[in-house]
Amino acid sequence: MQVIKISKLKGPTFHFKMKAFPSFFSSSTTSPAIPKPTNRIPIPLDHPIPQTLFQLLKQRPSLPKLKQIHASVFTFALSSHASLTTSLINCYLSVKDLKSARILFDFYPSSLPPTLVWNLMIRAYSKLQNSQESLLLFGQMLAMDEGPKVVPDKYTFTFVITSCSHQESARYGEVVHGLVVKNGLESDLFVGNAVINLYAVFTRMEDAQKVFDTMPERDAFTWTSLLRVYARGGEIGKACELFDGMPLRNSVSWAVMISGFVGYDRYIEALRYFHDMFYEGKVKPNEAILVSVLSACAHLGALDQGNWIHAYIDANGIPFSSNILTALIDMYAKCGRIDRAKQVFGQTSRRDVFNYTSLITGLSIHGLGKDAVQVFYQMLEENVMPNDITILGLLYGCSHSGLVDEGSSIFLSMEISWGIIPKIEHYGCYIDLLGRAGFMERAFEVVKSMPMRPDIVIWRALLSACRIHHDAKLGERISMHIEQLDLDGHNEGKVLLSNLNASLGNWERVAELRNLVSEKKKNQSISGCSWIEVNGVVHEFRVADQLHPRIVEIQEKLNEVLKRARLGGYVASTRQVLFDLSEEDKEQAVAHHSEKLAVTFGLMIIEPRTPIRIVKNLRTCDDCHSALKAISLVYKRELIVRDRSRFHTFKEGICSCNDYW
């Protein structure tokens, strides 16, 4: 363990001169009800004046009244009374006037403030996310050599450890943890909880477990803090085991578990645990739980469950906070009900940047770029400043709606107009916007002029545009450029260029490129997966699925569906099959894509004239897009599919994207 002297930690601190002290109260804040004294002899504490001031301070006055009381303390020469100064410090901290409290602390009447006063200041600074001041004060506290020493107690360590969790490194926490052990406080419940929570912040699972194992007493916070360590660290199996063994679960522990599932894309388990919580009936969902399950519903397209959660919030009088409203807008938008998302947004009385960003992003993934731009300008009119996520969603909408002029104007002015420096994600959206619209050379020039190094996402966007516009020549130039930059990027670039040539049928070039790609890269592809919600239950399908309990029946139905789809004009498109197979084998390969299986299951189960909603983890291929248009025509069904990029609403043989996706 690295040894660090707390007293030498560097960070911001306050320095005040004695002459500045009276000027702080130079404004006319003295209460006229209290007469001025005839002399400057300190009044004893049992006098009516200090007793009155004590009573006023106990009422936790507002800041203006507090300054009047403080002025009276100074006027009546009561500043030498430590207990009165302590009360003033406590009151200033209660109204979040940290500067005034620090002045009083630095000029405390006695030579050394008691531990209680040190704790008040350290606790106040520990609540600041980016401050080391509590650590500096703690170092000063330990370094006091004159007179009687002030000794840190369990509260001191609890506050200091909390401050350590706000730092960028766990090393300060390690030092303070060592001091906890040295002072014999490792068995204290509150200190132990703070240490576990510290290690949770830095996902130090082994260290947190050791502290947990040595604690003689544990409460719900102890168990929940350890649970948070494993949930944040991705050890979901261990988190589930710990959760099942908890003697007492509260809303926070349920929130940690459910949000842990959502954080690692395990949305079905998140909803299952949410249902288990209701079945157990001991805990009511808090805001964190509701936001997490709404997020799970959004990712799965689970509209029925999202509707139920919305109704539950309404029926139980749960306040519609900004977080809940944002999650509701996002859920409805991603479940294909952009009309409901607009309705929730319209009912929001005080809209903030998060509400606006959620709606703008929702409109964008529905291909409603013009509407997204309109909402953005409404946002500016209401003096709500956008953030980087707002601009990202807006550029995304412009990209998927072909709004080149609007998107270019927003991208090129975002730093000047709103002080938002473009990140690599913004460049990716802008390059995608230009590439989709056919401005290939212009997009390539943007890539070459970027102030940061392009990542594989940038190159993928550019090569995807080459595939859309059948520009293999530019694709080769891009691949050569990648090769000059980075060997690993070159490997990725060869994979993308191989896929481009496969879509164009250049199989000799495909074979040549694949020979240059390592086996590790060849095996990194993500399999297609689609979800469909039926009667509140989410069903999952993978490409060529064999695991669904009704898969045989579904496959038989799929053959019938594809036959009828051909009557509606469907012709199998095998251009994106990335292997040199016979045409029959290619058709068989695309026939069992996950969204086709999900839609077939929906046709079997969901009542006629009811829309079928599908969510897919990858971009919809040309063949599935063509098939779904034909299926919507011959079966007279509305099919709403959200893929990785956007929404596609198929109705009467037409898609809402107008084949621009």
Side-chain angles (χ1 to χ4, degrees):
M1 180 182 294
Q2 186 179 3
V3 177
I4 303 171
K5 292 183 178 180
I6 295 290
S7 60
K8 299 212 174 166
L9 293 175
K10 293 184 178 180
T13 187
F14 294 99
H15 298 283
F16 301 99
K17 295 181 179 179
M18 181 67 74
K19 65 179 182 180
F21 182 69
S23 65
F24 180 73
F25 304 101
S26 59
S27 59
S28 56
T29 56
T30 306
S31 173
I34 304 177
K36 291 185 178 181
T38 56
N39 56 61
R40 302 293 296 175
I41 299 173
I43 301 174
L45 283 178
D46 58 358
H47 190 278
I49 290 178
Q51 288 299 312
T52 300
L53 295 176
F54 268 123
Q55 292 300 319
L56 291 173
L57 290 172
K58 285 181 180 180
Q59 298 173 13
R60 290 293 185 268
S62 62
L63 183 58
K65 291 183 179 180
L66 181 58
K67 287 192 173 185
Q68 289 183 3
I69 297 170
H70 193 169
S72 298
V73 170
F74 185 75
T75 301
F76 287 100
L78 297 172
S79 300
S80 61
H81 293 301
S83 57
L84 199 54
T85 301
T86 299
S87 294
L88 280 169
I89 291 174
N90 202 12
C91 286
Y92 272 123
L93 293 177
S94 69
V95 295
K96 297 181 172 53
D97 188 348
L98 194 53
K99 182 178 179 180
S100 299
R102 184 59 185 266
I103 292 174
L104 288 168
F105 177 82
D106 287 341
F107 294 97
Y108 200 78
S110 63
S111 59
L112 190 64
T115 299
L116 169 64
V117 179
W118 285 90
N119 287 348
L120 287 174
M121 296 304 303
I122 290 173
R123 180 180 63 177
Y125 284 117
S126 72
K127 296 177 181 179
L128 304 180
Q129 290 293 324
N130 301 314
S131 174
Q132 288 187 345
E133 193 65 26
S134 60
L135 303 182
L136 293 168
L137 275 179
F138 182 60
Q140 293 174 23
M141 185 180 186
L142 298 178
M144 291 292 179
D145 295 327
E146 299 178 2
K149 286 190 175 183
V150 60
V151 180
D153 58 16
K154 62 181 182 180
Y155 301 106
T156 316
F157 282 108
T158 300
F159 303 145
V160 172
I161 292 167
T162 299
S163 184
C164 290
S165 67
H166 297 159
Q167 309 306 313
E168 294 181 356
S169 172
R171 62 196 183 105
Y172 300 139
E174 292 174 349
V175 175
V176 179
H177 187 190
L179 293 173
V180 167
V181 176
K182 183 178 178 180
N183 284 267
L185 292 171
E186 68 273 20
S187 61
D188 181 80
L189 176 63
F190 296 104
V191 175
N193 286 346
V195 173
I196 294 176
N197 189 62
L198 166 76
Y199 289 129
V201 170
F202 297 101
T203 60
R204 299 271 290 268
M205 291 175 273
E206 185 177 344
D207 292 324
Q209 185 68 60
K210 286 179 180 178
V211 175
F212 179 87
D213 292 339
T214 58
M215 289 180 66
E217 181 186 359
R218 301 164 186 158
D219 60 8
F221 187 88
T222 316
W223 286 85
T224 303
S225 295
L226 185 63
L227 184 67
R228 185 179 288 109
V229 179
Y230 289 112
R232 285 184 175 177
E235 294 285 344
I236 302 297
K238 182 67 177 178
C240 291
E241 181 183 334
L242 184 69
F243 185 80
D244 292 339
M246 288 181 67
L248 177 64
R249 301 168 184 162
N250 57 22
S251 60
V252 179
S253 53
W254 281 100
V256 168
M257 201 66 226
I258 293 170
S259 64
F261 282 122
V262 172
Y264 283 89
D265 302 338
R266 297 173 64 167
Y267 309 115
I268 294 178
E269 288 101 323
L271 292 179
R272 186 184 306 133
Y273 268 65
F274 179 65
H275 295 152
D276 290 345
M277 183 191 73
F278 267 96
Y279 181 77
E280 191 176 275
K282 296 179 181 178
V283 174
K284 291 185 177 181
N286 58 19
E287 179 178 308
I289 293 173
L290 293 169
V291 170
S292 292
V293 294
L294 284 170
S295 177
C297 292
H299 282 90
L300 293 172
L303 179 61
D304 290 346
Q305 296 188 60
N307 276 329
W308 185 90
I309 294 167
H310 189 179
Y312 175 86
I313 294 170
D314 212 2
N316 287 272
I318 298 173
F320 283 94
S321 66
S322 174
N323 288 335
I324 289 178
L325 287 167
T326 301
L328 282 169
I329 294 168
D330 183 63
M331 182 274 294
Y332 280 124
K334 290 181 177 176
C335 288
R337 291 299 304 272
I338 192 65
D339 57 327
R340 292 293 304 277
K342 290 179 181 179
Q343 184 180 9
V344 172
F345 179 82
Q347 294 171 349
T348 305
S349 57
R350 298 180 62 184
R351 300 165 185 153
D352 59 19
V353 63
F354 305 107
N355 307 146
Y356 269 107
T357 299
S358 186
L359 182 61
I360 288 170
T361 303
L363 291 167
S364 296
I365 64 175
H366 279 267
L368 302 172
K370 290 184 178 180
D371 292 347
V373 172
Q374 184 178 354
V375 171
F376 176 69
Y377 287 123
Q378 177 188 343
M379 175 183 182
L380 297 179
E381 287 176 2
E382 294 186 9
N383 295 319
V384 179
M385 290 299 292
N387 59 25
D388 58 333
I389 306 299
T390 315
I391 302 299
L392 192 64
L394 195 59
L395 290 172
Y396 195 85
C398 292
S399 174
H400 285 268
S401 300
L403 303 177
V404 177
D405 292 340
E406 293 87 340
S408 297
S409 175
I410 290 165
F411 177 79
L412 296 174
S413 64
M414 58 187 286
E415 184 173 359
I416 297 173
S417 299
W418 308 294
I420 301 171
I421 300 174
K423 297 180 180 178
I424 194 167
E425 294 85 358
H426 298 98
Y427 276 95
C429 269
Y430 185 48
I431 291 161
D432 187 57
L433 165 67
L434 296 174
R436 285 176 184 274
F439 297 96
M440 307 296 296
E441 290 290 345
R442 185 174 161 190
F444 193 23
E445 289 303 317
V446 172
V447 174
K448 291 190 290 184
S449 64
M450 287 171 56
M452 70 282 291
R453 189 172 189 172
D455 61 8
I456 196 59
V457 176
I458 298 291
W459 296 117
R460 185 181 294 118
L462 204 51
L463 286 174
S464 176
C466 290
R467 186 176 69 244
I468 292 171
H469 296 285
H470 311 296
D471 194 340
K473 185 177 180 180
L474 180 58
E476 289 285 356
R477 285 174 56 199
I478 294 168
S479 182
M480 292 173 60
H481 199 74
I482 299 172
E483 185 175 4
Q484 294 173 359
L485 293 175
D486 185 2
L487 180 61
D488 185 60
H490 169 58
N491 213 7
E492 292 279 7
K494 291 301 182 188
V495 172
L496 296 171
L497 189 59
S498 170
N499 295 346
L500 169 62
N501 280 274
S503 68
L504 298 174
N506 301 331
W507 297 110
E508 290 185 5
R509 182 61 175 145
V510 170
E512 179 185 341
L513 289 165
R514 286 182 176 168
N515 286 334
L516 300 174
V517 179
S518 67
E519 287 298 323
K520 180 180 178 181
K521 292 293 182 183
K522 291 177 184 176
N523 296 325
Q524 282 184 344
S525 61
I526 302 173
S527 63
C529 182
S530 295
W531 296 273
I532 179 172
E533 183 190 38
V534 180
N535 298 325
V537 178
V538 177
H539 297 258
E540 180 179 276
F541 291 92
R542 295 188 177 274
V543 60
D545 202 320
Q546 297 294 324
L547 298 177
H548 194 277
R550 300 182 64 177
I551 191 60
V552 175
E553 185 182 354
I554 293 169
Q555 288 174 340
E556 291 176 356
K557 179 69 173 178
L558 176 59
N559 292 332
E560 173 198 320
V561 169
L562 293 179
K563 285 180 182 179
R564 288 191 61 182
R566 292 186 183 96
L567 298 177
Y570 165 63
V571 177
S573 172
T574 59
R575 187 165 57 90
Q576 288 183 294
V577 176
L578 303 180
F579 298 94
D580 190 10
L581 305 173
S582 68
E583 195 62 29
E584 183 179 351
D585 288 339
K586 287 181 180 180
E587 290 188 15
Q588 189 65 24
V590 298
H592 293 85
H593 281 185
S594 61
E595 60 263 60
K596 290 192 181 80
L597 293 169
V599 166
T600 300
F601 183 65
L603 291 171
M604 292 168 51
I605 301 298
I606 298 176
E607 295 181 359
R609 294 182 295 279
T610 302
I612 297 174
R613 303 175 188 276
I614 308 294
V615 174
K616 186 178 180 179
N617 65 333
L618 301 178
R619 181 180 177 273
T620 296
C621 71
D622 291 340
D623 181 72
C624 286
H625 194 266
S626 176
L628 294 175
K629 285 197 293 185
I631 291 170
S632 72
L633 177 64
V634 297
Y635 281 90
K636 301 188 184 305
R637 296 292 287 270
E638 183 179 0
L639 310 176
I640 302 171
V641 179
R642 190 188 88 214
D643 68 8
R644 185 176 63 186
S645 298
R646 57 163 295 157
F647 266 94
H648 301 266
T649 301
F650 302 92
K651 193 172 183 180
E652 297 180 357
I654 299 173
C655 180
S656 60
C657 74
N658 295 318
D659 297 337
Y660 189 87
W661 88 100

